[in-house]
Amino acid sequence: MCGSPRDFGSAARGISGAQRAGHGGGGCCARGLSVVVGGSGFTGQFVTEEVAREQVDPEGNCRLPWAVAGRCWEKPQGVLERAALKLGRPTLSSEVGIIICDISNPASLDEMAKQATLVLNCIGPYRFYGEPVVKACVENGTSCVDISGEPQFLELMYYKYHEKAAEEGVYIIGSSGFDSIPADLGVIYTRNKMKGSLTAVESYLSVHSGPELEGRSSLKEIEPHLFADEDSPLHGDILEFHGPEGTGKTEMLYHLTAQCILPKSEGGLEVEVLFIDTDYHFDMLRLVTILEHRLAQSCEEIIKHCLGRFFLVHCSSSTQLLLTLYSLEATFCSHPSLCLLIVDSLSAFYWIDRANGGESVNLQESTLKKRAQLLEKLVNAYRLVLFTTTQSIMQKASDSAEGPCSAFSHPRDAHVDYRPYLCKAWQQAVKHRMFFSKDDSKSHTQFSLVSRNLKSNNLKTHFFIIGESGVEFC
């Protein structure tokens, strides 16, 4: 059980005055009801009893209209009769409405939601049975409260229904009460150990977010060859590596990762890195090889310590990437030395998103726009630096054909083959863009990158080769 049977008590006591309208009682249900869904389940029975207890005035009259919803009439009626007996209110079952609905029947949930202003959802486990109720509430302008303690369900509901709920002006409140078992065990322990009668227990929840985020290290020294003092990545900066496949973008990410996770005694920054791999191109053996070449004396124990500062996440879909980003706040809070976030690559699902969006540009860009906004929020809130890669999938048009949409406006930019195709939200979030290319004409393959600081508009060109030990600047 994810929440205490009494966790809904505060919600029951806090129903707004707009709901205090008259009702027909005994099953006559008009808009304005508070509805306990799943009232005949284990938790639902306690919630039904708590609502019945709290929503009665000193004269014994019901303060506001409410109902219990279930798959059949008999079970909710039985719950109401037992609550009436326990509370000494013989007329309770005739005062409270009963609504028949089933999560496998969306139309019945819609009818229930249309009659309610607030739904107390007791149908769990929520990851299996919670969404149909949330969906019906959002689509019918009804607020919903549950006691879910299931992070995946909470994150998915936020991702799928937040914007619609905001448009409708309704509240979807998850986890209004959770983790009752530790509290209940504490009550039982106190009762067993205490001499005398235990009449009341108050428990408190303390939330800790880890060390102060202001202590997060700077990455100004991450790579002097790439970043002069005025161009060094600062907290909150977003940098994009752009270029065709095979131009050294991922190798450069390995290089920067190694610089971060190596100990200070070996010339590294000794900070943590979170690497999100969407292309499934990440090669752990390659990173270990680079680390071994960078260490003055390579040994398994030092390599393990370095990799202990490295976190790797794989995402196979646009939605999974978005949900992963939503779930990262706890990681950033609990790891103050996590300074660098890497996404390789942000454009991996571009064509899939376009296909799923149909002919609407807004729908095509919807998920990427959310990712861009969330990434910008995360790097600013947690003082991170973000490196991402994007693929070159469109050729730069000739100068005469570019018109006002051209990414560059100076003649010196002509050698950079770049034309923006990702959403405007992402283009505005990027602070620094680097354009990668490869030159096979020489005896050994040489790579180049043009670095452009979008704040100062400075352009710099760098050359490097890729050897066994990783990136080597020329």
Side-chain angles (χ1 to χ4, degrees):
M1 185 173 65
C2 298
S4 167
R6 296 182 61 87
D7 283 335
F8 270 130
S10 57
R13 289 188 288 273
I15 296 171
S16 68
Q19 296 173 322
R20 300 172 188 267
H23 75 111
C28 177
C29 303
R31 183 74 171 192
L33 291 173
S34 297
V35 179
V36 180
V37 178
S40 59
F42 179 80
T43 301
Q45 295 180 58
F46 291 98
V47 172
T48 300
E49 180 185 318
E50 181 73 6
V51 174
R53 178 183 292 108
E54 295 293 339
Q55 299 308 325
V56 62
D57 61 26
E59 288 75 35
N61 300 314
C62 189
R63 287 189 174 121
L64 52 83
W66 64 288
V68 180
R71 287 176 292 179
C72 62
W73 185 86
E74 291 79 12
K75 287 187 176 181
Q77 179 67 17
V79 172
L80 289 171
E81 289 174 355
R82 288 191 292 274
L85 184 63
K86 186 172 182 178
L87 299 174
R89 293 177 56 193
T91 61
L92 178 64
S93 59
S94 63
E95 297 170 357
V96 181
I98 293 177
I99 300 175
I100 307 302
C101 64
D102 191 326
I103 60 166
S104 63
N105 184 345
S108 70
L109 292 177
D110 286 338
E111 287 302 312
M112 177 275 297
K114 288 174 182 176
Q115 299 176 71
T117 300
L118 174 68
V119 166
L120 305 181
N121 183 16
C122 305
I123 302 178
Y126 290 96
R127 66 185 182 277
F128 298 135
Y129 307 118
E131 183 174 358
V133 178
V134 172
K135 184 174 185 290
C137 287
V138 171
E139 292 180 349
N140 292 281
T142 304
S143 294
C144 181
V145 180
D146 66 49
I147 52 174
S148 169
E150 304 164 41
Q152 186 177 21
F153 169 77
L154 295 168
E155 291 161 8
L156 184 62
M157 294 304 98
Y158 181 87
Y159 165 60
K160 295 182 71 172
Y161 299 106
H162 169 69
E163 291 184 359
K164 178 66 173 175
E167 290 173 7
E168 295 291 334
V170 300
Y171 296 91
I172 305 299
I173 304 174
S175 211
S176 68
F178 60 97
D179 286 346
S180 64
I181 292 177
D184 288 346
L185 288 174
V187 171
I188 294 171
Y189 178 85
T190 304
R191 183 193 64 190
N192 293 341
K193 294 294 183 179
M194 184 177 180
K195 295 179 180 179
S197 299
L198 182 64
T199 57
V201 173
E202 291 186 17
S203 59
Y204 299 88
L205 178 66
S206 178
V207 178
H208 301 276
S209 61
E212 291 295 322
L213 296 176
E214 284 72 14
R216 213 178 286 276
S217 300
S218 168
L219 297 185
K220 291 188 70 173
E221 303 298 322
I222 187 171
E223 180 43 77
H225 287 96
L226 281 184
F227 306 109
D229 288 341
E230 68 273 12
D231 292 328
S232 296
L234 304 174
H235 295 309
D237 277 358
I238 296 178
L239 299 89
E240 177 185 335
F241 290 177
H242 182 83
E245 188 173 355
T247 52
K249 300 187 298 298
T250 299
E251 280 286 338
M252 186 62 72
L253 293 179
Y254 292 151
H255 172 74
L256 297 172
T257 297
Q259 290 286 96
C260 286
I261 64 178
L262 280 167
K264 292 181 179 180
S265 60
E266 298 286 349
L269 300 181
E270 205 168 318
V271 297
E272 294 177 336
V273 177
L274 176 61
F275 194 115
I276 301 177
D277 176 26
T278 63
D279 284 331
Y280 281 77
H281 286 171
F282 183 83
D283 186 345
M284 182 62 77
L285 182 59
R286 177 61 178 150
L287 177 60
V288 171
T289 300
I290 293 172
L291 291 172
E292 288 176 337
H293 279 82
R294 302 282 175 90
L295 292 169
Q297 185 176 0
S298 176
C299 73
E300 185 176 343
E301 197 62 31
I302 298 178
I303 296 292
K304 283 183 177 179
H305 280 298
C306 290
L307 295 180
R309 291 185 280 271
F310 180 71
F311 305 91
L312 177 63
V313 179
H314 294 288
C315 293
S316 58
S317 71
S318 185
T319 301
Q320 188 181 26
L321 175 56
L322 184 60
L323 291 176
T324 297
L325 295 176
Y326 274 123
S327 68
L328 288 179
E329 294 200 51
T331 302
F332 295 139
C333 281
S334 59
H335 291 267
S337 63
L338 204 168
C339 301
L340 179 60
L341 174 62
I342 294 173
V343 180
D344 185 25
S345 88
L346 193 70
S347 60
F349 311 116
Y350 173 74
W351 292 113
I352 298 174
D353 287 343
R354 284 195 59 175
N356 291 339
E359 296 182 359
S360 169
V361 175
N362 287 336
L363 290 177
Q364 291 174 11
E365 296 183 343
S366 174
T367 306
L368 177 58
K369 181 179 178 181
K370 291 177 183 176
R371 290 202 303 264
Q373 292 171 338
L374 184 55
L375 283 168
E376 189 172 22
K377 174 187 172 184
L378 288 172
V379 297
N380 282 308
Y382 295 99
R383 300 168 57 79
L384 306 167
V385 173
L386 168 65
F387 284 96
T388 67
T389 63
T390 59
Q391 290 277 17
S392 293
I393 63 173
M394 294 185 177
Q395 294 298 317
K396 181 172 176 286
S398 64
D399 292 341
S400 60
E402 281 178 4
C405 294
S406 174
F408 301 102
S409 56
H410 301 289
R412 62 177 179 169
D413 299 330
H415 62 290
V416 176
D417 186 9
Y418 174 72
R419 195 167 178 83
Y421 61 91
L422 296 181
C423 68
K424 189 175 181 180
W426 173 249
Q427 301 300 330
Q428 293 174 337
V430 175
K431 301 295 190 299
H432 203 135
R433 186 171 282 118
M434 299 185 181
F435 308 92
F436 285 68
S437 59
K438 180 172 65 171
D439 183 4
D440 291 317
S441 61
K442 301 186 178 181
S443 57
H444 59 276
T445 300
Q446 182 173 277
F447 299 85
S448 67
L449 67 85
V450 178
S451 172
R452 182 173 190 177
N453 187 318
L454 300 180
K455 292 181 287 187
S456 63
N457 211 31
N458 289 334
L459 274 175
K460 294 181 181 177
T461 302
H462 306 270
F463 298 95
F464 63 94
I465 59 174
I466 298 174
E468 187 70 14
S469 60
V471 168
E472 299 173 24
F473 285 92
C474 301

